[in-house]
Amino acid sequence: MKRISITVPTSYDIIIDSGALSRVGGFLKELYSPRKVCIIADSNAGSLYSETVITSLRDSGFTPSRVLFPAGEHSKNLTTCANVLEALASENLSRSDVVLSLGGGVTTDIAGFVAGTYMRGIDLVHVPTTLLSAMDATIGGKAGVNLLQGKNLAGLFWPPRMVICDPDTFKNLREPQIQDALAEGIKNAVISDASMIPKIQAGDFEYMLERSLSIKKSLVEVDSNDKGLRQLLNFGHTIGHCIEKASSYSVSHGQAVSIGMVAESKAAFAMGYTNNDISGELTKILEGLGLPTTLRYSAEELYTFALIDKKISDGMIALTIPESIGKCTLKKVTLAELSEFFNRACD
């Protein structure tokens, strides 16, 4: 078993342990006396894992309940959140009770949004069941849901009290889900540690998970509200989120970020923001992992969605600029410059 401690601004532990699903109740007893725990899960993770977690909670003296919603990015909206909030009220959850997310990134976002708003905030525990959510969504306290106009436009910061990761759940992932996590791993390598890449290429998922958590921890702890260095984690996301929206979410998050990283690298060099064009090398790495790199949308289509990016403030947005594979910097640009950035990305 491994524990990684996070302090942002409240402390919590990320527990990584094979078989942890059957011991969730025991881990929660480190924090809580017996109380109600409501599991929020999508239909996939709920059918695979919720009975195991319910049994563990019940055996440890907790009173579990379960709320399920349809799996998929299309469920990450205010309607789903409203339905889950109504379900929590129907279960008579109080402010001393706990919400537990069980699933991937969509579940993590919905559960975080709901926990942060129900009765003005109740405790949250994450139990990620995908590699991508374990290495990204469950750390840092962000919770966002989609509006019709764009991705993650409604949200808040609501850190969990604990994260419990059982790597055995990764054995049930489909290849596209693994590839989504690989894109996130490569992103972390580009912004911080090029030495990760050979290990990712070799399929060392445990290393990728732990190193990615370490990188994100170092950025989150110095910038918990995402107004400075934490924005390095947005590499590939400025264009990637626009691709997701333009495709009506038929392009997955990891696929969109993969395409976005190449496009942003190309544009950064073309705009003179960096002396190195890493787009060619990055394309070879990503395509070698089975990830897409070709941008199939016009600058006009994508820029429409970029204009409502939540990172825009006072007419400026911070772009993550790759100086090399392993080192990135931030550059604030105007919206006019952002428009030209998208044009260069789509050339």
Side-chain angles (χ1 to χ4, degrees), residues 9-46:
T10 57
S11 63
Y12 59 93
D13 285 348
I14 300 173
I15 297 165
I16 305 172
D17 193 17
S18 293
L21 278 187
S22 62
R23 301 194 300 280
V24 166
F27 289 124
L28 261 63
K29 285 180 73 174
E30 297 177 14
L31 299 175
Y32 303 109
S33 58
R35 63 195 63 204
K36 291 180 180 179
V37 178
C38 184
I39 298 166
I40 298 176
D42 69 25
S43 50
N44 292 338

PDB file of all heavy atoms in Angstrom, residues 9-46:
ATOM      1  N   PRO A   9      -6.152  23.469   0.333  1.00  0.00           N
ATOM      2  CA  PRO A   9      -5.378  23.901   1.487  1.00  0.00           C
ATOM      3  C   PRO A   9      -5.600  22.986   2.684  1.00  0.00           C
ATOM      4  O   PRO A   9      -4.911  23.093   3.680  1.00  0.00           O
ATOM      5  CB  PRO A   9      -5.931  25.297   1.762  1.00  0.00           C
ATOM      6  CG  PRO A   9      -7.358  25.208   1.310  1.00  0.00           C
ATOM      7  CD  PRO A   9      -7.380  24.246   0.150  1.00  0.00           C
ATOM      8  N   THR A  10      -6.598  22.065   2.582  1.00  0.00           N
ATOM      9  CA  THR A  10      -6.770  21.054   3.614  1.00  0.00           C
ATOM     10  C   THR A  10      -6.057  19.781   3.169  1.00  0.00           C
ATOM     11  O   THR A  10      -5.921  19.508   1.979  1.00  0.00           O
ATOM     12  CB  THR A  10      -8.263  20.767   3.845  1.00  0.00           C
ATOM     13  OG1 THR A  10      -8.857  20.364   2.601  1.00  0.00           O
ATOM     14  CG2 THR A  10      -8.994  22.010   4.346  1.00  0.00           C
ATOM     15  N   SER A  11      -5.601  18.994   4.108  1.00  0.00           N
ATOM     16  CA  SER A  11      -4.812  17.817   3.777  1.00  0.00           C
ATOM     17  C   SER A  11      -5.709  16.600   3.582  1.00  0.00           C
ATOM     18  O   SER A  11      -6.763  16.471   4.200  1.00  0.00           O
ATOM     19  CB  SER A  11      -3.783  17.543   4.878  1.00  0.00           C
ATOM     20  OG  SER A  11      -4.422  17.260   6.102  1.00  0.00           O
ATOM     21  N   TYR A  12      -5.269  15.724   2.689  1.00  0.00           N
ATOM     22  CA  TYR A  12      -5.927  14.435   2.517  1.00  0.00           C
ATOM     23  C   TYR A  12      -4.933  13.460   1.919  1.00  0.00           C
ATOM     24  O   TYR A  12      -3.897  13.856   1.366  1.00  0.00           O
ATOM     25  CB  TYR A  12      -7.181  14.540   1.639  1.00  0.00           C
ATOM     26  CG  TYR A  12      -6.966  15.069   0.244  1.00  0.00           C
ATOM     27  CD1 TYR A  12      -6.733  14.213  -0.829  1.00  0.00           C
ATOM     28  CD2 TYR A  12      -7.030  16.437  -0.018  1.00  0.00           C
ATOM     29  CE1 TYR A  12      -6.547  14.696  -2.115  1.00  0.00           C
ATOM     30  CE2 TYR A  12      -6.857  16.933  -1.300  1.00  0.00           C
ATOM     31  CZ  TYR A  12      -6.615  16.056  -2.346  1.00  0.00           C
ATOM     32  OH  TYR A  12      -6.439  16.540  -3.612  1.00  0.00           O
ATOM     33  N   ASP A  13      -5.219  12.188   2.051  1.00  0.00           N
ATOM     34  CA  ASP A  13      -4.340  11.135   1.556  1.00  0.00           C
ATOM     35  C   ASP A  13      -4.918  10.492   0.314  1.00  0.00           C
ATOM     36  O   ASP A  13      -6.138  10.291   0.200  1.00  0.00           O
ATOM     37  CB  ASP A  13      -4.140  10.048   2.611  1.00  0.00           C
ATOM     38  CG  ASP A  13      -3.204  10.471   3.732  1.00  0.00           C
ATOM     39  OD1 ASP A  13      -2.536  11.514   3.585  1.00  0.00           O
ATOM     40  OD2 ASP A  13      -3.150   9.763   4.754  1.00  0.00           O
ATOM     41  N   ILE A  14      -4.030  10.160  -0.618  1.00  0.00           N
ATOM     42  CA  ILE A  14      -4.371   9.290  -1.738  1.00  0.00           C
ATOM     43  C   ILE A  14      -3.797   7.918  -1.424  1.00  0.00           C
ATOM     44  O   ILE A  14      -2.582   7.772  -1.249  1.00  0.00           O
ATOM     45  CB  ILE A  14      -3.795   9.807  -3.063  1.00  0.00           C
ATOM     46  CG1 ILE A  14      -4.338  11.208  -3.378  1.00  0.00           C
ATOM     47  CG2 ILE A  14      -4.110   8.854  -4.204  1.00  0.00           C
ATOM     48  CD1 ILE A  14      -3.685  11.852  -4.586  1.00  0.00           C
ATOM     49  N   ILE A  15      -4.657   6.942  -1.319  1.00  0.00           N
ATOM     50  CA  ILE A  15      -4.252   5.572  -0.996  1.00  0.00           C
ATOM     51  C   ILE A  15      -4.269   4.752  -2.279  1.00  0.00           C
ATOM     52  O   ILE A  15      -5.260   4.747  -3.000  1.00  0.00           O
ATOM     53  CB  ILE A  15      -5.203   4.959   0.048  1.00  0.00           C
ATOM     54  CG1 ILE A  15      -5.132   5.752   1.356  1.00  0.00           C
ATOM     55  CG2 ILE A  15      -4.883   3.477   0.278  1.00  0.00           C
ATOM     56  CD1 ILE A  15      -6.279   5.463   2.297  1.00  0.00           C
ATOM     57  N   ILE A  16      -3.176   4.070  -2.576  1.00  0.00           N
ATOM     58  CA  ILE A  16      -3.080   3.198  -3.736  1.00  0.00           C
ATOM     59  C   ILE A  16      -2.802   1.793  -3.230  1.00  0.00           C
ATOM     60  O   ILE A  16      -1.739   1.530  -2.664  1.00  0.00           O
ATOM     61  CB  ILE A  16      -1.965   3.650  -4.700  1.00  0.00           C
ATOM     62  CG1 ILE A  16      -2.162   5.114  -5.107  1.00  0.00           C
ATOM     63  CG2 ILE A  16      -1.917   2.743  -5.928  1.00  0.00           C
ATOM     64  CD1 ILE A  16      -0.996   5.694  -5.893  1.00  0.00           C
ATOM     65  N   ASP A  17      -3.752   0.886  -3.436  1.00  0.00           N
ATOM     66  CA  ASP A  17      -3.611  -0.452  -2.848  1.00  0.00           C
ATOM     67  C   ASP A  17      -4.487  -1.450  -3.596  1.00  0.00           C
ATOM     68  O   ASP A  17      -5.697  -1.239  -3.746  1.00  0.00           O
ATOM     69  CB  ASP A  17      -4.026  -0.408  -1.376  1.00  0.00           C
ATOM     70  CG  ASP A  17      -3.607  -1.662  -0.615  1.00  0.00           C
ATOM     71  OD1 ASP A  17      -2.739  -2.397  -1.117  1.00  0.00           O
ATOM     72  OD2 ASP A  17      -4.149  -1.883   0.479  1.00  0.00           O
ATOM     73  N   SER A  18      -3.889  -2.528  -4.076  1.00  0.00           N
ATOM     74  CA  SER A  18      -4.663  -3.574  -4.745  1.00  0.00           C
ATOM     75  C   SER A  18      -5.653  -4.194  -3.757  1.00  0.00           C
ATOM     76  O   SER A  18      -5.302  -4.490  -2.609  1.00  0.00           O
ATOM     77  CB  SER A  18      -3.727  -4.661  -5.283  1.00  0.00           C
ATOM     78  OG  SER A  18      -2.928  -4.143  -6.335  1.00  0.00           O
ATOM     79  N   GLY A  19      -6.887  -4.354  -4.214  1.00  0.00           N
ATOM     80  CA  GLY A  19      -7.926  -4.911  -3.352  1.00  0.00           C
ATOM     81  C   GLY A  19      -8.574  -3.896  -2.437  1.00  0.00           C
ATOM     82  O   GLY A  19      -9.374  -4.263  -1.569  1.00  0.00           O
ATOM     83  N   ALA A  20      -8.264  -2.614  -2.629  1.00  0.00           N
ATOM     84  CA  ALA A  20      -8.766  -1.579  -1.715  1.00  0.00           C
ATOM     85  C   ALA A  20     -10.283  -1.444  -1.754  1.00  0.00           C
ATOM     86  O   ALA A  20     -10.893  -1.000  -0.768  1.00  0.00           O
ATOM     87  CB  ALA A  20      -8.118  -0.231  -2.030  1.00  0.00           C
ATOM     88  N   LEU A  21     -10.928  -1.810  -2.874  1.00  0.00           N
ATOM     89  CA  LEU A  21     -12.388  -1.680  -2.944  1.00  0.00           C
ATOM     90  C   LEU A  21     -13.082  -2.441  -1.826  1.00  0.00           C
ATOM     91  O   LEU A  21     -14.072  -1.970  -1.265  1.00  0.00           O
ATOM     92  CB  LEU A  21     -12.902  -2.188  -4.294  1.00  0.00           C
ATOM     93  CG  LEU A  21     -12.844  -1.267  -5.500  1.00  0.00           C
ATOM     94  CD1 LEU A  21     -13.559  -1.913  -6.667  1.00  0.00           C
ATOM     95  CD2 LEU A  21     -13.452   0.090  -5.202  1.00  0.00           C
ATOM     96  N   SER A  22     -12.567  -3.598  -1.501  1.00  0.00           N
ATOM     97  CA  SER A  22     -13.204  -4.420  -0.464  1.00  0.00           C
ATOM     98  C   SER A  22     -12.866  -3.929   0.935  1.00  0.00           C
ATOM     99  O   SER A  22     -13.384  -4.465   1.918  1.00  0.00           O
ATOM    100  CB  SER A  22     -12.762  -5.879  -0.608  1.00  0.00           C
ATOM    101  OG  SER A  22     -11.364  -6.007  -0.429  1.00  0.00           O
ATOM    102  N   ARG A  23     -12.030  -2.883   1.029  1.00  0.00           N
ATOM    103  CA  ARG A  23     -11.650  -2.343   2.346  1.00  0.00           C
ATOM    104  C   ARG A  23     -11.981  -0.849   2.468  1.00  0.00           C
ATOM    105  O   ARG A  23     -11.442  -0.164   3.346  1.00  0.00           O
ATOM    106  CB  ARG A  23     -10.152  -2.568   2.587  1.00  0.00           C
ATOM    107  CG  ARG A  23      -9.753  -4.032   2.546  1.00  0.00           C
ATOM    108  CD  ARG A  23      -8.357  -4.274   3.115  1.00  0.00           C
ATOM    109  NE  ARG A  23      -7.331  -3.541   2.389  1.00  0.00           N
ATOM    110  CZ  ARG A  23      -6.799  -3.934   1.232  1.00  0.00           C
ATOM    111  NH1 ARG A  23      -7.219  -5.044   0.655  1.00  0.00           N
ATOM    112  NH2 ARG A  23      -5.852  -3.227   0.643  1.00  0.00           N
ATOM    113  N   VAL A  24     -12.846  -0.362   1.582  1.00  0.00           N
ATOM    114  CA  VAL A  24     -13.212   1.060   1.625  1.00  0.00           C
ATOM    115  C   VAL A  24     -13.747   1.455   3.001  1.00  0.00           C
ATOM    116  O   VAL A  24     -13.402   2.504   3.549  1.00  0.00           O
ATOM    117  CB  VAL A  24     -14.241   1.388   0.517  1.00  0.00           C
ATOM    118  CG1 VAL A  24     -14.896   2.745   0.758  1.00  0.00           C
ATOM    119  CG2 VAL A  24     -13.567   1.376  -0.852  1.00  0.00           C
ATOM    120  N   GLY A  25     -14.593   0.617   3.577  1.00  0.00           N
ATOM    121  CA  GLY A  25     -15.160   0.927   4.885  1.00  0.00           C
ATOM    122  C   GLY A  25     -14.093   1.093   5.951  1.00  0.00           C
ATOM    123  O   GLY A  25     -14.160   2.005   6.791  1.00  0.00           O
ATOM    124  N   GLY A  26     -13.081   0.232   5.926  1.00  0.00           N
ATOM    125  CA  GLY A  26     -11.993   0.334   6.890  1.00  0.00           C
ATOM    126  C   GLY A  26     -11.205   1.618   6.739  1.00  0.00           C
ATOM    127  O   GLY A  26     -10.819   2.251   7.738  1.00  0.00           O
ATOM    128  N   PHE A  27     -10.960   2.022   5.500  1.00  0.00           N
ATOM    129  CA  PHE A  27     -10.252   3.285   5.283  1.00  0.00           C
ATOM    130  C   PHE A  27     -11.078   4.471   5.779  1.00  0.00           C
ATOM    131  O   PHE A  27     -10.537   5.410   6.380  1.00  0.00           O
ATOM    132  CB  PHE A  27      -9.930   3.456   3.798  1.00  0.00           C
ATOM    133  CG  PHE A  27      -8.862   2.526   3.282  1.00  0.00           C
ATOM    134  CD1 PHE A  27      -9.111   1.689   2.210  1.00  0.00           C
ATOM    135  CD2 PHE A  27      -7.612   2.482   3.886  1.00  0.00           C
ATOM    136  CE1 PHE A  27      -8.134   0.829   1.728  1.00  0.00           C
ATOM    137  CE2 PHE A  27      -6.618   1.631   3.418  1.00  0.00           C
ATOM    138  CZ  PHE A  27      -6.885   0.795   2.334  1.00  0.00           C
ATOM    139  N   LEU A  28     -12.393   4.448   5.539  1.00  0.00           N
ATOM    140  CA  LEU A  28     -13.224   5.554   5.995  1.00  0.00           C
ATOM    141  C   LEU A  28     -13.284   5.650   7.521  1.00  0.00           C
ATOM    142  O   LEU A  28     -13.457   6.749   8.074  1.00  0.00           O
ATOM    143  CB  LEU A  28     -14.645   5.436   5.419  1.00  0.00           C
ATOM    144  CG  LEU A  28     -14.913   6.322   4.186  1.00  0.00           C
ATOM    145  CD1 LEU A  28     -14.024   5.918   3.025  1.00  0.00           C
ATOM    146  CD2 LEU A  28     -16.371   6.271   3.790  1.00  0.00           C
ATOM    147  N   LYS A  29     -13.107   4.527   8.194  1.00  0.00           N
ATOM    148  CA  LYS A  29     -13.115   4.555   9.663  1.00  0.00           C
ATOM    149  C   LYS A  29     -11.931   5.329  10.227  1.00  0.00           C
ATOM    150  O   LYS A  29     -11.949   5.716  11.395  1.00  0.00           O
ATOM    151  CB  LYS A  29     -13.124   3.120  10.205  1.00  0.00           C
ATOM    152  CG  LYS A  29     -14.484   2.432  10.061  1.00  0.00           C
ATOM    153  CD  LYS A  29     -14.462   1.017  10.602  1.00  0.00           C
ATOM    154  CE  LYS A  29     -14.428   0.995  12.117  1.00  0.00           C
ATOM    155  NZ  LYS A  29     -14.552  -0.402  12.634  1.00  0.00           N
ATOM    156  N   GLU A  30     -10.895   5.557   9.388  1.00  0.00           N
ATOM    157  CA  GLU A  30      -9.784   6.405   9.830  1.00  0.00           C
ATOM    158  C   GLU A  30     -10.239   7.846  10.032  1.00  0.00           C
ATOM    159  O   GLU A  30      -9.628   8.601  10.792  1.00  0.00           O
ATOM    160  CB  GLU A  30      -8.650   6.380   8.801  1.00  0.00           C
ATOM    161  CG  GLU A  30      -8.015   5.015   8.589  1.00  0.00           C
ATOM    162  CD  GLU A  30      -6.939   5.065   7.508  1.00  0.00           C
ATOM    163  OE1 GLU A  30      -6.523   6.190   7.134  1.00  0.00           O
ATOM    164  OE2 GLU A  30      -6.521   3.991   7.039  1.00  0.00           O
ATOM    165  N   LEU A  31     -11.310   8.230   9.339  1.00  0.00           N
ATOM    166  CA  LEU A  31     -11.799   9.608   9.392  1.00  0.00           C
ATOM    167  C   LEU A  31     -13.117   9.770  10.129  1.00  0.00           C
ATOM    168  O   LEU A  31     -13.377  10.831  10.705  1.00  0.00           O
ATOM    169  CB  LEU A  31     -11.983  10.141   7.962  1.00  0.00           C
ATOM    170  CG  LEU A  31     -10.764  10.213   7.053  1.00  0.00           C
ATOM    171  CD1 LEU A  31     -11.192  10.660   5.653  1.00  0.00           C
ATOM    172  CD2 LEU A  31      -9.725  11.171   7.609  1.00  0.00           C
ATOM    173  N   TYR A  32     -13.972   8.747  10.077  1.00  0.00           N
ATOM    174  CA  TYR A  32     -15.359   8.921  10.496  1.00  0.00           C
ATOM    175  C   TYR A  32     -15.825   7.819  11.443  1.00  0.00           C
ATOM    176  O   TYR A  32     -15.414   6.662  11.318  1.00  0.00           O
ATOM    177  CB  TYR A  32     -16.289   8.898   9.273  1.00  0.00           C
ATOM    178  CG  TYR A  32     -15.976   9.912   8.211  1.00  0.00           C
ATOM    179  CD1 TYR A  32     -15.441   9.514   6.984  1.00  0.00           C
ATOM    180  CD2 TYR A  32     -16.220  11.267   8.420  1.00  0.00           C
ATOM    181  CE1 TYR A  32     -15.161  10.444   5.991  1.00  0.00           C
ATOM    182  CE2 TYR A  32     -15.938  12.202   7.431  1.00  0.00           C
ATOM    183  CZ  TYR A  32     -15.408  11.786   6.221  1.00  0.00           C
ATOM    184  OH  TYR A  32     -15.130  12.693   5.243  1.00  0.00           O
ATOM    185  N   SER A  33     -16.715   8.206  12.319  1.00  0.00           N
ATOM    186  CA  SER A  33     -17.528   7.233  13.032  1.00  0.00           C
ATOM    187  C   SER A  33     -18.663   6.812  12.093  1.00  0.00           C
ATOM    188  O   SER A  33     -18.885   7.441  11.061  1.00  0.00           O
ATOM    189  CB  SER A  33     -18.089   7.863  14.308  1.00  0.00           C
ATOM    190  OG  SER A  33     -18.858   9.013  13.980  1.00  0.00           O
ATOM    191  N   PRO A  34     -19.408   5.742  12.405  1.00  0.00           N
ATOM    192  CA  PRO A  34     -20.483   5.300  11.510  1.00  0.00           C
ATOM    193  C   PRO A  34     -21.479   6.418  11.196  1.00  0.00           C
ATOM    194  O   PRO A  34     -21.898   7.159  12.081  1.00  0.00           O
ATOM    195  CB  PRO A  34     -21.136   4.173  12.300  1.00  0.00           C
ATOM    196  CG  PRO A  34     -20.018   3.600  13.107  1.00  0.00           C
ATOM    197  CD  PRO A  34     -19.196   4.808  13.523  1.00  0.00           C
ATOM    198  N   ARG A  35     -21.859   6.521   9.927  1.00  0.00           N
ATOM    199  CA  ARG A  35     -22.798   7.533   9.444  1.00  0.00           C
ATOM    200  C   ARG A  35     -23.260   7.112   8.055  1.00  0.00           C
ATOM    201  O   ARG A  35     -22.815   6.107   7.515  1.00  0.00           O
ATOM    202  CB  ARG A  35     -22.144   8.914   9.412  1.00  0.00           C
ATOM    203  CG  ARG A  35     -20.972   9.009   8.452  1.00  0.00           C
ATOM    204  CD  ARG A  35     -20.136  10.238   8.717  1.00  0.00           C
ATOM    205  NE  ARG A  35     -19.546  10.176  10.046  1.00  0.00           N
ATOM    206  CZ  ARG A  35     -19.152  11.236  10.741  1.00  0.00           C
ATOM    207  NH1 ARG A  35     -19.315  12.446  10.244  1.00  0.00           N
ATOM    208  NH2 ARG A  35     -18.624  11.107  11.942  1.00  0.00           N
ATOM    209  N   LYS A  36     -24.101   7.902   7.433  1.00  0.00           N
ATOM    210  CA  LYS A  36     -24.566   7.596   6.091  1.00  0.00           C
ATOM    211  C   LYS A  36     -23.479   7.929   5.066  1.00  0.00           C
ATOM    212  O   LYS A  36     -22.798   8.955   5.168  1.00  0.00           O
ATOM    213  CB  LYS A  36     -25.826   8.387   5.758  1.00  0.00           C
ATOM    214  CG  LYS A  36     -27.060   7.966   6.554  1.00  0.00           C
ATOM    215  CD  LYS A  36     -28.257   8.810   6.154  1.00  0.00           C
ATOM    216  CE  LYS A  36     -29.501   8.406   6.948  1.00  0.00           C
ATOM    217  NZ  LYS A  36     -30.668   9.246   6.591  1.00  0.00           N
ATOM    218  N   VAL A  37     -23.338   7.056   4.089  1.00  0.00           N
ATOM    219  CA  VAL A  37     -22.422   7.277   2.971  1.00  0.00           C
ATOM    220  C   VAL A  37     -23.194   6.996   1.689  1.00  0.00           C
ATOM    221  O   VAL A  37     -23.656   5.873   1.475  1.00  0.00           O
ATOM    222  CB  VAL A  37     -21.180   6.366   3.037  1.00  0.00           C
ATOM    223  CG1 VAL A  37     -20.280   6.612   1.824  1.00  0.00           C
ATOM    224  CG2 VAL A  37     -20.407   6.576   4.337  1.00  0.00           C
ATOM    225  N   CYS A  38     -23.338   8.012   0.844  1.00  0.00           N
ATOM    226  CA  CYS A  38     -24.055   7.835  -0.416  1.00  0.00           C
ATOM    227  C   CYS A  38     -23.054   7.683  -1.555  1.00  0.00           C
ATOM    228  O   CYS A  38     -22.245   8.579  -1.813  1.00  0.00           O
ATOM    229  CB  CYS A  38     -24.980   9.009  -0.683  1.00  0.00           C
ATOM    230  SG  CYS A  38     -25.988   8.770  -2.177  1.00  0.00           S
ATOM    231  N   ILE A  39     -23.107   6.544  -2.231  1.00  0.00           N
ATOM    232  CA  ILE A  39     -22.248   6.263  -3.375  1.00  0.00           C
ATOM    233  C   ILE A  39     -22.879   6.865  -4.625  1.00  0.00           C
ATOM    234  O   ILE A  39     -24.045   6.612  -4.924  1.00  0.00           O
ATOM    235  CB  ILE A  39     -22.078   4.744  -3.562  1.00  0.00           C
ATOM    236  CG1 ILE A  39     -21.408   4.122  -2.336  1.00  0.00           C
ATOM    237  CG2 ILE A  39     -21.284   4.437  -4.833  1.00  0.00           C
ATOM    238  CD1 ILE A  39     -21.512   2.613  -2.313  1.00  0.00           C
ATOM    239  N   ILE A  40     -22.102   7.681  -5.341  1.00  0.00           N
ATOM    240  CA  ILE A  40     -22.531   8.211  -6.636  1.00  0.00           C
ATOM    241  C   ILE A  40     -21.682   7.532  -7.698  1.00  0.00           C
ATOM    242  O   ILE A  40     -20.449   7.594  -7.650  1.00  0.00           O
ATOM    243  CB  ILE A  40     -22.366   9.734  -6.702  1.00  0.00           C
ATOM    244  CG1 ILE A  40     -23.258  10.397  -5.644  1.00  0.00           C
ATOM    245  CG2 ILE A  40     -22.714  10.256  -8.092  1.00  0.00           C
ATOM    246  CD1 ILE A  40     -23.094  11.892  -5.554  1.00  0.00           C
ATOM    247  N   ALA A  41     -22.343   6.851  -8.645  1.00  0.00           N
ATOM    248  CA  ALA A  41     -21.620   6.083  -9.656  1.00  0.00           C
ATOM    249  C   ALA A  41     -22.365   6.126 -10.978  1.00  0.00           C
ATOM    250  O   ALA A  41     -23.594   6.276 -11.008  1.00  0.00           O
ATOM    251  CB  ALA A  41     -21.450   4.625  -9.204  1.00  0.00           C
ATOM    252  N   ASP A  42     -21.616   5.985 -12.073  1.00  0.00           N
ATOM    253  CA  ASP A  42     -22.305   5.821 -13.346  1.00  0.00           C
ATOM    254  C   ASP A  42     -22.744   4.370 -13.490  1.00  0.00           C
ATOM    255  O   ASP A  42     -22.403   3.505 -12.671  1.00  0.00           O
ATOM    256  CB  ASP A  42     -21.443   6.296 -14.521  1.00  0.00           C
ATOM    257  CG  ASP A  42     -20.227   5.428 -14.804  1.00  0.00           C
ATOM    258  OD1 ASP A  42     -20.222   4.238 -14.463  1.00  0.00           O
ATOM    259  OD2 ASP A  42     -19.273   5.945 -15.406  1.00  0.00           O
ATOM    260  N   SER A  43     -23.518   4.106 -14.534  1.00  0.00           N
ATOM    261  CA  SER A  43     -24.125   2.781 -14.684  1.00  0.00           C
ATOM    262  C   SER A  43     -23.075   1.683 -14.868  1.00  0.00           C
ATOM    263  O   SER A  43     -23.289   0.544 -14.445  1.00  0.00           O
ATOM    264  CB  SER A  43     -25.099   2.783 -15.861  1.00  0.00           C
ATOM    265  OG  SER A  43     -24.489   3.326 -17.035  1.00  0.00           O
ATOM    266  N   ASN A  44     -21.927   2.027 -15.477  1.00  0.00           N
ATOM    267  CA  ASN A  44     -20.889   1.013 -15.680  1.00  0.00           C
ATOM    268  C   ASN A  44     -20.192   0.646 -14.383  1.00  0.00           C
ATOM    269  O   ASN A  44     -20.151  -0.523 -13.978  1.00  0.00           O
ATOM    270  CB  ASN A  44     -19.854   1.515 -16.698  1.00  0.00           C
ATOM    271  CG  ASN A  44     -20.419   1.626 -18.099  1.00  0.00           C
ATOM    272  OD1 ASN A  44     -21.409   0.981 -18.430  1.00  0.00           O
ATOM    273  ND2 ASN A  44     -19.795   2.436 -18.921  1.00  0.00           N
ATOM    274  N   ALA A  45     -19.616   1.638 -13.713  1.00  0.00           N
ATOM    275  CA  ALA A  45     -18.909   1.368 -12.462  1.00  0.00           C
ATOM    276  C   ALA A  45     -19.859   0.865 -11.389  1.00  0.00           C
ATOM    277  O   ALA A  45     -19.492   0.018 -10.560  1.00  0.00           O
ATOM    278  CB  ALA A  45     -18.196   2.633 -11.984  1.00  0.00           C
ATOM    279  N   GLY A  46     -21.091   1.375 -11.394  1.00  0.00           N
ATOM    280  CA  GLY A  46     -22.066   0.924 -10.402  1.00  0.00           C
ATOM    281  C   GLY A  46     -22.330  -0.560 -10.502  1.00  0.00           C
ATOM    282  O   GLY A  46     -22.391  -1.271  -9.489  1.00  0.00           O
TER     283      GLY A  46
END
